[in-house]
């Protein structure tokens, strides 16, 4: 038999590696496999929100056989390839798929019921919340979660991510707990304008934190709880508390993945309304560079990227976070200060030197 | 190329000496004396009358010199002396002072000429003691005057906070 | 700050200084943190408020320099200029005396009168 396979949402390196390896292992496969741009068998990186969304959609619609590709099989996917790609694992997986396709396809397909799909709101996920007192915790109904509309690859849509859920919770002033499979748990108290969670190292987010922050809405389990229950929980688990702004900022940085926020034209002139409060908004040195430029200049993001020499994807993540924090002003005129001239190499060397010295202080 | 010197200025008790002390790698050279006026004395026992001086050695052996000015207006001649040749200026405003916005206005105005050729950032300190005025007041003050400068809350006792001030200043210098 | 009585004593001693040595054209007593306590001048030709503050700055710098060099306490700072001499010295831990003359050859006189004055002022307080 001849099978066609494609890949989606893989990093460039993984994609190239996968294609090469597929050619290399041909001799060890029971059937012929070829890489195609579109195919019914797809390798999807489920460590990206878009990859997860793709995996969920395909699992539900059962129109494709999707191999989940990740460090861990967090979605309990039937077809799973661990990261990084290893020869033996790939051979084993492809041969298994070929066997499945040719013999027991029908039977297995019916066993893939929607109740095991991560996109449904499983009541068993409430167990992740541990000991929430029954009288105060209430499982959110699936209907409370935004619909499973396909996640946009081109634009970042807060309403389809954890961010949208948190924003909605703040708006409604409801105290809630958010978590996802194999992800971090956070408690939001709009009343206190604080969130409670385990310690966040802003320079090194854990896998669990990244997983939750980058989640699409359908992956998130929300639970209502009272302020009292929240306090008990925070105390019992020794949780840290952070400003809600800090969380919204982090979640946006993690979730936007280089996609401009929906509704923002890429060629519009934008500037910073004011300096972001980096005392509560975690930042990297690159963010300071962007902020310094955008505070003085109103121009397109492309120009900002050129002038600051910051890659567009990082810029867009920062821009989205600023947009969520209401720090962006759109203007009708471009206003790039003539001062924004390149510094001499001596000055650049000096600045770099100072920053390097300061970083040893952190 | 400007001299490699940063100047911390700002209102009495805002934490200029503390900020320099927290990052300087040498014991800070201080010129503080007992405060005799009740206004200053109720905030702190001693006050700087000439300057504070600290240092950081860069990788290539160059020194980044950190100067602190006296806070009181009557020492403004020292402000002018110290700021000469500085790479940038860091203003610290004590939010628990009697007129923080007035203090900010005074310092921004005093160093207007300096800023036209250099850069400055503003740190608002002691917001834990006095939460009013909040940051919106400061931003509004800048917005109404068309001033585009970094301003954010800092804790002068925190190394991270002081480092952030200098990092912001360097970022601004890159595009000035 | 000093009491009214203490300031009156200083004023009186300052008047005596300028009376005893008419080459001293002006004299100022200030606190070490730059507040004017009292001042006197032969003719009303100088604005002495700033001198009081600068006196405190210079004395403090002097103290810092001598401490840095392990040279003990700074006795006085002399500024010899194109058109005159200014001397700065401690009265005690809190007060500074600043005296000036426009006669370039009067350094010895300026210092000896000023030092005696500073010493007596310390005793008065």
């Amino acid at each position: 038999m001849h099978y066609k396979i494609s890949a989606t949402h893989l990093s460039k390196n993984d994609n190239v590696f996968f294609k090469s390896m597929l050619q290399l292992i041909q001799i060890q496969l029971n059937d012929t496999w070829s890489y195609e741009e579109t195919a019914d068998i797809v390798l999807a990186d489920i460590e990206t929100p878009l990859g997860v969304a793709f995996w969920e959609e395909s699992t539900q619609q059962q129109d494709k056989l999707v191999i989940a590709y990740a460090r861990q099989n967090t979605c309990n996917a039937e077809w799973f390839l661990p990261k990084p790609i290893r020869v033996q694992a790939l051979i084993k997986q492809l041969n298994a798929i070929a066997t499945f396709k040719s013999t027991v396809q029908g039977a297995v397909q019916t066993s893939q019921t929607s109740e095991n799909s991560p996109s449904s709101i499983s009541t068993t996920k409430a167990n992740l919340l541990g000991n929430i007192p029954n009288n105060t915790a209430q499982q959110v109904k699936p209907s409370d979660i935004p619909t499973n509309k396909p996640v946009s690859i081109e634009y970042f849509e807060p309403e389809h991510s954890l961010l949208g859920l948190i924003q909605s919770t703040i708006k409604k002033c409801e105290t809630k707990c958010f978590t996802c499979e194999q992800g971090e748990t956070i408690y939001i108290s709009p009343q206190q304008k604080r969130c409670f969670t385990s310690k966040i190292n802003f320079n090194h987010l854990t896998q669990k934190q990244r997983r939750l922050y980058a989640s699409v809405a359908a992956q998130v389990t929300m639970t209502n709880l009272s302020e009292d229950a929240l306090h008990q929980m925070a105390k019992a688990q020794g949780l840290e508390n952070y400003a809600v702004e800090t969380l919204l900022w982090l979640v946006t940085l993690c979730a936007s993945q280089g996609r401009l926020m929906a509704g923002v034209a890429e060629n519009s002139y934008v500037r910073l309304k004011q300096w972001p409060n980096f005392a509560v908004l975690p930042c990297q040195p690159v963010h300071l560079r962007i902020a310094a430029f955008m505070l003085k200049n109103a121009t397109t993001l492309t120009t900002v990227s050129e002038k600051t020499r910051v890659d567009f994807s990082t810029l867009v993540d920062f821009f989205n976070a600023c947009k969520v924090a209401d720090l962006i002003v759109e203007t009708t005129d471009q206003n790039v200060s003539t001062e924004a001239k390149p510094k001499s190499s001596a000055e650049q060397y000096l600045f770099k030197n100072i920053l390097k010295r300061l970083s040893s202080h952190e | 190329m400007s001299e490699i010197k940063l100047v911390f200025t700002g209102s009495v008790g805002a934490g200029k000496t503390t900020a320099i002390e927290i990052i300087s790698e040498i014991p800070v050279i201080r010129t503080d004396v007992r405060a005799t006026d009740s206004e200053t004395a109720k905030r702190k026992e001693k006050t700087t009358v000439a300057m504070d001086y600290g240092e950081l050695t860069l990788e290539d052996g160059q020194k980044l010199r950190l100067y602190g000015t006296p806070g009181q207006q009557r020492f403004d001649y020292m402000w002018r002396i110290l700021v000469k040749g500085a790479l940038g200026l860091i203003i610290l405003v004590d939010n628990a002072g009697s007129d923080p916005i007035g203090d900010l206005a005074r310092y921004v105005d005093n160093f207007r000429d300096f800023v036209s050729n250099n850069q400055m950032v503003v740190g608002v300190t002691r917001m834990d003691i006095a939460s009013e005025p909040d940051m919106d007041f400061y931003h509004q003050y800048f917005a109404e005057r068309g001033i585009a400068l970094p301003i954010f809350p800092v804790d002068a006792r925190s190394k991270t906070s002081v480092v952030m001030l200098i990092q912001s200043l360097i970022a601004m210098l890159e595009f000035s | 700050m000093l009491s009214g009585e203490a300031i009156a004593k200083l004023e009186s001693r300052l008047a005596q200084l300028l009376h005893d040595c008419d080459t001293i054209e002006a004299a100022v007593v200030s606190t070490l943190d730059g507040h004017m306590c009292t001042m006197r001048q032969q003719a009303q030709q100088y604005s002495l408020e700033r001198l009081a503050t600068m006196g405190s700055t210079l004395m403090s710098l002097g103290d810092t320099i001598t401490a840095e060099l392990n040279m003990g306490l700074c006795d006085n700072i002399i500024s010899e200029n194109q058109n005159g001499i200014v001397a700065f010295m401690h009265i005690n831990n809190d007060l500074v005396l600043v005296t000036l003359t426009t006669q370039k050859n009067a350094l010895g006189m300026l210092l000896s009168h000023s030092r005696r004055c500073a010493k007596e002022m310390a005793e008065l307080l």
Side-chain angles (χ1 to χ4, degrees), chain A residues 17-245:
Chain A
F17 191 52
F18 172 63
K19 286 179 194 171
S20 316
M21 195 165 276
L22 190 62
Q23 286 180 332
L24 284 170
I25 62 170
Q26 281 300 328
I27 199 163
Q28 298 176 67
L29 295 171
N30 300 334
D31 298 88
T32 308
W33 288 79
S34 64
Y35 183 86
E36 302 288 339
E37 284 309 315
T38 55
D40 289 334
I41 302 170
V42 186
L43 181 68
D45 187 336
I46 60 160
E47 284 186 353
T48 69
L50 299 178
V52 168
F54 178 86
W55 179 86
E56 284 171 1
E57 199 182 349
S58 304
T59 308
Q60 275 190 338
Q61 293 177 4
Q62 300 185 358
D63 57 347
K64 287 184 171 66
L65 187 155
V66 183
I67 308 168
Y69 175 53
R71 284 174 188 81
Q72 286 181 325
N73 189 359
T74 54
C75 297
N76 290 325
E78 179 149 5
W79 304 106
F80 175 74
L81 182 68
K83 271 189 185 180
I85 300 172
R86 303 262 182 230
V87 173
Q88 287 310 320
L90 184 60
I91 292 169
K92 200 174 157 188
Q93 189 72 174
L94 296 185
N95 282 340
I97 289 171
T99 308
F100 158 71
K101 281 271 185 191
S102 62
T103 57
V104 292
Q105 184 168 7
V108 177
Q109 266 181 343
T110 40
S111 75
Q112 288 180 329
T113 57
S114 61
E115 69 179 56
N116 290 326
S117 159
S119 61
S120 68
I121 308 302
S122 164
T123 49
T124 59
K125 285 178 187 167
N127 296 338
L128 289 172
L129 304 178
N131 51 354
I132 296 176
N134 287 334
N135 57 345
T136 54
Q138 188 188 354
Q139 190 68 34
V140 174
K141 292 192 282 286
S143 58
D144 292 341
I145 311 284
T147 58
N148 271 351
K149 188 183 147 194
V151 175
S152 168
I153 294 169
E154 282 183 62
Y155 294 103
F156 173 53
E157 299 166 307
E159 65 272 27
H160 291 141
S161 73
L162 172 70
L163 177 64
L165 298 178
I166 297 175
Q167 285 175 320
S168 157
T169 295
I170 293 168
K171 204 172 169 185
K172 292 179 192 163
C173 205
E174 295 168 336
T175 305
K176 275 189 180 169
C177 169
F178 297 83
T179 191
C180 72
E181 287 261 9
Q182 305 286 319
E184 187 58 87
T185 301
I186 48 174
Y187 303 87
I188 309 270
S189 168
Q191 203 179 312
Q192 299 177 56
K193 295 180 179 168
R194 310 292 292 177
C195 70
F196 298 78
T197 186
S198 46
K199 190 175 172 59
I200 304 173
N201 177 347
F202 297 118
N203 291 323
H204 300 285
L205 294 181
T206 64
Q207 278 287 340
K208 281 175 80 176
Q209 285 164 341
R210 283 184 186 282
R211 198 166 286 134
L212 176 67
Y213 301 163
S215 296
V216 291
Q219 291 175 292
V220 178
T221 303
M222 295 191 293
T223 311
N224 286 333
L225 71 167
S226 68
E227 283 285 316
D228 285 345
L230 169 66
H231 283 298
Q232 283 176 32
M233 193 77 60
K235 204 173 169 188
Q237 297 181 16
L239 301 178
E240 302 279 336
N241 75 88
Y242 300 92
V244 164
E245 292 85 354

Side-chain angles (χ1 to χ4, degrees), chain C residues 40-95:
Chain C
R40 183 153 296 247
Q41 50 185 323
Q42 304 286 9
Q44 299 304 311
Q45 60 185 123
Y46 300 110
S47 167
L48 298 175
E49 291 288 345
R50 301 281 277 172
L51 189 62
T53 317
M54 290 171 179
S56 76
T57 299
L58 265 181
M59 279 319 293
S60 183
L61 271 177
D63 290 338
T64 307
I65 292 166
T66 53
E68 185 78 9
L69 300 171
N70 293 319
M71 286 185 177
L73 292 171
C74 175
D75 288 336
N76 51 55
I77 294 172
I78 300 157
S79 166
E80 289 193 75
N81 316 296
Q82 207 172 356
N83 296 317
I85 306 165
V86 190
F88 305 83
M89 62 194 67
H90 280 295
I91 293 170
N92 57 23
N93 286 338
D94 295 324
L95 297 174

Side-chain angles (χ1 to χ4, degrees), chain B residues 78-145:
Chain B
M78 283 308 296
W79 302 355
R80 288 191 292 274
I81 291 170
L82 292 174
V83 88
K84 259 182 218 164
L87 198 59
L89 185 67
I90 293 165
I91 296 178
L92 296 181
V93 177
D94 178 6
N95 209 48
S98 53
D99 180 17
I101 298 282
D103 287 342
L104 173 67
R106 199 159 30 256
Y107 285 97
V108 169
D109 195 48
N110 253 295
F111 292 103
R112 196 169 287 275
D113 290 344
F114 174 81
V115 176
S116 60
N117 294 313
N118 298 274
Q119 282 297 342
M120 73 180 174
V121 299
V122 183
V124 182
T125 63
R126 307 221 299 165
M127 290 203 83
D128 52 336
I129 308 287
S131 56
E132 297 290 335
D134 63 14
M135 285 312 296
D136 287 345
F137 268 90
Y138 289 98
H139 288 306
Q140 196 182 335
Y141 176 84
F142 272 5
E144 282 167 2
R145 284 154 189 80

